[in-house]
Amino acid sequence: MLSQICRSGCQSFTQRLLPWVQSTTLSRSLGSGCLRSSLCTHVPSSNMDEDRVQPSATGHVRSWSNIPFITVPLSRTHGKSFAHRSELKHAKRIVVKLGSAVVTRGDECGLALGRLASIVEQVSVLQNQGREMMLVTSGAVAFGKQRLRHEILLSQSVRQALHSGQNQLKEMAIPVLEARACAAAGQSGLMALYEAMFTQYSICAAQILVTNLDFHDEQKRRNLNGTLHELLRMNIVPIVNTNDAVVPPAEPNSDLQGVNVISVKDNDSLAARLAVEMKTDLLIVLSDVEGLFDSPPGSDDAKLIDIFYPGDQQSVTFGTKSRVGMGGMEAKVKAALWALQGGTSVVIANGTHPKVSGHVITDIVEGKKVGTFFSEVKPAGPTVEQQGEMARSGGRMLATLEPEQRAEIIHHLADLLTDQRDEILLANKKDLEEAEGRLAAPLLKRLSLSTSKLNSLAIGLRQIAASSQDSVGRVLRRTRIAKNLELEQVTVPIGVLLVIFESRPDCLPQVAALAIASGNGLLLKGGKEASHSNRILHLLTQEALSIHGVKEAVQLVNTREEVEDLCRLDKMIDLIIPRGSSQLVRDIQKAAKGIPVMGHSEGICHMYVDSESSVDKATRLVRDSKCEYPAACNALETLLIHRDLLRTPLFDQIIDMLRVEQVKIHAGPKFASYLTFSPSEVKSLRTEYGDLELCIEVVDSVQEAIDHIHKYGSSHTDVIVTENEKTAEFFLQHVDSACVFWNASTRFSDGYRFGLGAEVGISTSRIHARGPVGLEGLLTTKWLLRGQDHVVSDFSEHGSLKYLHENLPVPQRNTN
């Protein structure tokens, strides 16, 4: 009966909408696939043969009458919940439970329309992907309370209103409203609101009101099950709620007693029961807190639990329930564990936070780290949060070691790189074999390790060890504030670093050595393409750290966390350093919330060849800068030529060299105007090619070259080639980039070549470190004040002491 009503409603709805659908504009905006999925799926024709409505064998194409529509190829055998968040994207059937705190306004009277509209939009997006969505919603009581209060105020007689006066009328006492009456008055309005919202996305919704009896009476249970399956088959979103107008009190001793018995006493238990009954893949429970905490949210030590396992409830202290609704977090956890036992995955998340509620549901289905994920499978190793804690405590222990001890660890790691060379190269060979055909040639080159690379790594690490002797705890400034009151500014580690790198396993020991030398804890996230190499290099790093008992200071993240999820760990990470493509750096800078990112998103390096340049010198520098390693961030991307050099032997020699090296040339606008037959004109003067491609542009002077660099460069590395020292100094002083060179290749912009031993990256930011970031760039400072019972009041106008602010000599730095 209910399915017939829903069909009739959808049919009349579609008849009203068809004139719009047939318009060209709407067809273009929605697309044929969208129309077939959201309209034709549940619009039966008058002569429809119901037996013909069956899924195809593939599950990808279904038909309604004679009109097929496409669905997302989602299918899985129900019976076992997902083990990892990343698998949630495969969820086909999803229940979204909206708690009272999500649906209602802060005054508990009326609905939070903005949040509801956002939730409906997300559910509609997933429904139109081919998923089967169901809603369990609160809100009827709040909506009814709003309506009944309004009716009570309107029912006051005019005489009473006039007698009471306007101010008294505002303060007129509203009687306490019975919840069942509010539910009865609000349910129809709540459903009408949902229907109006879903209609905007060409989706039909159906209302189902249930009580505990509907699940425990076998006949009613079968009826309910059949109705829900029919609605889902028709591509309709069922909206389920307890029938609060008639629902009896829950039986106290029958709540959550195994898979086959669960008392529907609130919408948490209803959602769990519905999810298991309908063999749902995923249950999303939206509340007014971020998820499950190990202690009441808001307490000082409360930590959000990322993944919750059955049996862990003993380690959780539950607080009070939310401001509205029947159940608190304890009820949600019990219901979630019951659903998990029945084979449904569960996520509890915040549906009220204005910054995340607009995408919380879709984020969860995409596998992002949102809320608390319930899983029956415990990971073999620590979670990334636990690794962050270990890196923090290990880094603090590392910082307390003597400089000689930290240097000894790095020396030992350098020895291991050469002693265990065969094992490292064997692991790297596995990575290269697995990456063959999947990675481009420049990335394969980055991935490859060799004996010479390992030897160079070892040399660089020994340089870092030598420079670390006087890094942490070095006094930068001493001031005598007053008699017996002395202040020092000393260097200290930044804290915990997160370094994300692609393709380059040689980055791991370099960064680890710099972290060790600077006393920082370190989280490393390498690319999957280098997993074998990274694993053995990390094991060797921990072996070196173990000689002084600080093995845990450097952690390799091997879990399934996405980079975006790692960037949200602002309580554990103090600095993020990306090493990889410009796209990776941009993605991390965008994803980082509250954590500083050190790096550069682009490496648009320029070389200006002045009119007073040596032919051979200019040709040699251009070749090395562009052709030696074109995929590097410090490779040349734009060559600026002084106008007087056009059609000269110098210019011809540079062009001939580029042709021999098979460099594709793009002409800048001015350069193109000088040529009858020019190369392809550049689409943008701000392009990082990362390959054997180069933009050439013409300038009239050194000042014009500087202006061009400032307008189109990325403040990475820029070079002048000239024999005129005055022109060169003018360029060096006026170009505002991290690295500015005279008669030297752009490829010298590198920590190892600068004598830093290695680098964690090249920074183009203007705060903290800039250019190749070595040991010094991983340090910050703190202030140490040593006094003898000094108080500020002694320095007041009538106090006994005066400020001296005398500069004191700083201990000389050990440069050996």
Side-chain angles (χ1 to χ4, degrees):
M1 184 67 176
L2 179 60
S3 62
Q4 291 174 352
I5 294 172
C6 290
R7 288 181 189 174
S8 174
C10 288
Q11 187 172 9
S12 61
F13 158 70
T14 307
Q15 288 170 351
R16 295 195 306 271
L17 199 64
L18 272 177
W20 292 0
V21 174
Q22 291 167 351
S23 71
T24 306
T25 304
L26 185 63
S27 299
R28 280 200 303 264
S29 63
L30 293 178
S32 58
C34 177
L35 287 178
R36 288 173 177 169
S37 175
S38 60
L39 291 179
C40 299
T41 57
H42 55 263
V43 185
S45 60
S46 58
N47 59 351
M48 179 190 71
D49 180 0
E50 192 170 53
D51 292 334
R52 292 169 58 192
V53 186
Q54 295 292 335
S56 69
T58 64
H60 294 269
V61 180
R62 290 184 283 174
S63 62
W64 197 268
S65 184
N66 60 346
I67 305 175
F69 66 93
I70 308 301
T71 63
V72 176
L74 298 164
S75 63
R76 65 184 288 265
T77 303
H78 186 81
K80 192 170 182 61
S81 60
F82 293 118
H84 305 284
R85 282 184 185 270
S86 59
E87 297 171 347
L88 295 180
K89 61 175 67 75
H90 302 300
K92 168 72 172 178
R93 185 171 291 174
I94 302 170
V95 171
V96 179
K97 183 263 174 178
L98 308 179
S100 299
V102 176
V103 175
T104 60
R105 296 199 313 244
D107 61 3
E108 304 175 22
C109 183
L111 303 181
L113 297 179
R115 282 202 295 268
L116 273 182
S118 175
I119 288 166
V120 167
E121 180 180 13
Q122 295 173 75
V123 170
S124 300
V125 167
L126 296 174
Q127 180 81 2
N128 283 328
Q129 288 177 357
R131 304 179 199 268
E132 297 173 342
M133 305 298 297
M134 291 181 279
L135 277 184
V136 175
T137 179
S138 303
V141 173
F143 199 17
K145 185 185 295 185
Q146 183 186 38
R147 292 183 66 183
L148 291 181
R149 283 184 174 181
H150 184 64
E151 288 298 322
I152 289 171
L153 287 174
L154 288 178
S155 67
Q156 304 296 330
S157 67
V158 176
R159 183 178 302 170
Q160 184 180 4
L162 292 174
H163 178 72
S164 301
Q166 188 174 4
N167 292 332
Q168 293 182 23
L169 181 61
K170 288 182 179 179
E171 299 171 1
M172 187 179 298
I174 301 292
V176 176
L177 299 173
E178 207 276 330
R180 290 187 181 91
C182 292
Q187 188 64 48
S188 60
L190 177 65
M191 191 59 201
L193 180 63
Y194 274 119
E195 284 183 342
M197 288 182 171
F198 275 112
T199 296
Q200 303 304 311
Y201 302 96
S202 303
I203 289 176
C204 186
Q207 174 181 241
I208 298 181
L209 298 178
V210 297
T211 65
N212 207 19
L213 187 62
D214 293 309
F215 290 102
H216 293 287
D217 182 284
E218 189 60 31
Q219 183 60 47
K220 290 179 178 288
R221 181 181 164 203
R222 282 199 300 267
N223 292 343
L224 174 62
N225 193 295
T227 300
L228 287 169
H229 277 94
E230 178 73 0
L231 291 173
L232 293 176
R233 187 174 68 86
M234 295 163 61
N235 205 35
I236 295 172
V237 175
I239 300 178
V240 187
N241 196 359
T242 51
N243 193 352
D244 293 326
V246 299
V247 67
E251 298 176 32
N253 297 322
S254 64
D255 186 34
L256 302 167
Q257 307 217 338
V259 173
N260 295 321
V261 180
I262 179 171
S263 172
V264 179
K265 72 170 191 175
D266 56 33
N267 277 345
D268 294 317
S269 52
L270 167 61
R273 181 64 195 247
L274 180 68
V276 174
E277 184 74 25
M278 295 298 295
K279 295 181 171 55
T280 301
D281 300 319
L282 173 62
L283 168 60
I284 299 174
V285 180
L286 296 184
S287 180
D288 57 352
V289 292
E290 279 71 22
L292 179 60
F293 288 78
D294 57 1
S295 56
S299 58
D300 292 339
D301 298 326
K303 293 181 181 177
L304 179 66
I305 298 173
D306 172 41
I307 306 177
F308 191 77
Y309 307 98
D312 283 356
Q313 53 264 50
Q314 303 299 324
S315 63
V316 177
T317 303
F318 294 101
T320 58
K321 73 181 189 68
S322 66
R323 59 179 175 83
V324 290
M326 297 288 292
M329 184 56 72
E330 187 171 10
K332 290 175 175 57
V333 171
K334 286 181 178 179
L337 290 174
W338 190 90
L340 187 68
Q341 187 181 359
T344 296
S345 297
V346 184
V347 175
I348 297 177
N350 191 337
T352 64
H353 196 293
K355 290 187 177 179
V356 299
S357 60
H359 45 80
V360 60
I361 298 173
T362 50
D363 279 356
I364 290 171
V365 176
E366 288 173 9
K368 294 182 180 178
K369 193 173 242 184
V370 179
T372 300
F373 172 63
F374 286 70
S375 175
E376 292 187 299
V377 180
K378 281 200 172 187
T383 65
V384 70
E385 289 82 5
Q386 292 169 332
Q387 286 186 296
E389 294 291 344
M390 288 189 286
R392 174 81 65 190
S393 59
R396 285 171 176 162
M397 292 176 61
L398 187 64
T400 62
L401 296 179
E402 296 296 325
E404 294 78 12
Q405 293 175 304
R406 288 193 294 271
E408 187 180 353
I409 293 172
I410 300 170
H411 275 295
H412 188 45
L413 177 56
D415 293 339
L416 287 172
L417 290 178
T418 52
D419 295 344
Q420 305 295 324
R421 175 177 55 246
D422 292 342
E423 286 186 53
I424 297 171
L425 295 179
L426 182 62
N428 185 244
K429 183 181 178 183
K430 290 181 182 178
D431 288 326
L432 289 169
E433 289 172 352
E434 292 175 6
E436 191 68 40
R438 294 190 299 110
L439 291 183
L443 292 179
L444 281 174
K445 186 175 180 181
R446 288 188 180 189
L447 178 60
S448 174
L449 293 175
S450 62
T451 300
S452 60
K453 267 192 179 181
L454 293 175
N455 290 336
S456 297
L457 272 174
I459 294 171
L461 263 58
R462 293 187 178 97
Q463 288 180 350
I464 294 171
S467 62
S468 70
Q469 294 295 322
D470 190 21
S471 55
V472 180
R474 178 163 53 92
V475 179
L476 301 179
R477 177 187 307 204
R478 293 180 64 221
T479 306
R480 180 177 287 118
I481 303 297
K483 185 178 180 181
N484 296 325
L485 184 64
E486 293 189 1
L487 178 70
E488 285 184 346
Q489 184 186 20
V490 300
T491 56
V492 293
I494 288 174
V496 175
L497 314 175
L498 168 62
V499 177
I500 302 169
F501 56 101
E502 294 177 321
S503 301
R504 290 183 53 178
D506 55 328
C507 176
L508 193 152
Q510 289 178 334
V511 173
L514 287 168
I516 294 166
S518 57
N520 284 289
L522 179 61
L523 286 173
L524 291 158
K525 175 67 172 175
K528 296 177 184 178
E529 66 280 355
S531 59
H532 299 293
S533 306
N534 289 337
R535 190 176 300 114
I536 187 169
L537 290 171
H538 177 246
L539 288 173
L540 296 178
T541 302
Q542 289 202 313
E543 182 180 336
L545 287 162
S546 297
I547 66 175
H548 288 297
V550 287
K551 175 182 177 181
E552 316 238 313
V554 177
Q555 298 285 326
L556 180 64
V557 179
N558 285 318
T559 54
R560 295 175 178 235
E561 265 75 16
E562 299 295 331
V563 168
E564 186 174 342
D565 294 328
L566 293 173
C567 291
R568 292 187 178 129
L569 301 177
D570 56 307
K571 299 266 192 324
M572 300 178 181
I573 297 167
D574 299 296
L575 180 66
I576 301 175
I577 304 171
R579 293 284 302 268
S581 66
S582 58
Q583 187 60 51
L584 171 73
V585 179
R586 281 194 294 269
D587 290 344
I588 291 173
Q589 288 174 336
K590 183 179 179 180
K593 308 295 183 185
I595 309 176
V597 178
M598 180 187 292
H600 65 281
S601 59
E602 293 176 304
I604 304 175
C605 302
H606 290 74
M607 178 177 288
Y608 165 58
V609 181
D610 185 51
S611 57
E612 300 180 66
S613 299
S614 161
V615 175
D616 294 337
K617 192 178 293 184
T619 306
R620 177 178 165 82
L621 291 173
V622 172
R623 177 190 285 111
D624 189 77
S625 298
K626 179 71 259 185
C627 307
E628 197 267 340
Y629 190 8
C633 65
N634 56 14
L636 178 64
E637 304 293 6
T638 299
L639 179 64
L640 300 176
I641 301 281
H642 194 284
R643 183 184 57 184
D644 293 346
L645 295 178
L646 292 177
R647 302 183 181 88
T648 65
L650 185 150
F651 177 79
D652 293 340
Q653 188 164 318
I654 290 176
I655 296 299
D656 289 342
M657 178 274 296
L658 292 174
R659 187 178 295 111
V660 170
E661 297 289 344
Q662 298 183 329
V663 176
K664 182 179 180 180
I665 296 175
H666 302 275
K670 289 187 68 175
F671 180 44
S673 68
Y674 284 99
L675 304 173
T676 306
F677 300 100
S678 66
S680 61
E681 187 168 340
V682 69
K683 294 180 180 179
S684 171
L685 289 168
R686 188 183 176 88
T687 301
E688 181 179 10
Y689 298 103
D691 205 346
L692 287 174
E693 297 184 57
L694 181 68
C695 173
I696 297 180
E697 181 58 308
V698 174
V699 292
D700 292 338
S701 65
V702 64
Q703 183 61 59
E704 189 175 333
I706 293 170
D707 293 341
H708 180 104
I709 290 169
H710 288 165
K711 185 173 183 179
Y712 300 109
S714 60
S715 300
H716 191 294
T717 301
D718 298 292
V719 175
I720 182 172
V721 181
T722 184
E723 299 303 305
N724 188 311
E725 183 177 354
K726 185 177 179 181
T727 303
E729 289 299 327
F730 183 84
F731 185 91
L732 295 174
Q733 297 302 319
H734 286 79
V735 171
D736 186 17
S737 296
C739 300
V740 189
F741 302 161
W742 171 25
N743 287 349
S745 169
T746 59
R747 299 276 291 116
F748 277 105
S749 183
D750 176 84
Y752 175 75
R753 295 173 185 128
F754 276 17
L756 305 177
E759 67 187 37
V760 294
I762 295 180
S763 171
T764 56
S765 67
R766 300 174 187 278
I767 300 175
H768 196 58
R770 200 173 183 211
V773 180
L775 178 57
E776 298 290 331
L778 300 181
L779 297 171
T780 184
T781 64
K782 70 177 180 181
W783 298 87
L784 306 177
L785 185 63
R786 298 179 176 89
Q788 294 181 2
D789 194 30
H790 287 83
V791 294
V792 171
S793 58
D794 287 341
F795 294 87
S796 64
E797 184 177 353
H798 303 291
S800 58
L801 295 177
K802 301 293 182 186
Y803 289 111
L804 298 177
H805 291 151
E806 295 177 1
N807 290 327
L808 299 176
V810 174
Q812 291 298 309
R813 184 178 182 183
N814 180 14
T815 58
N816 293 329

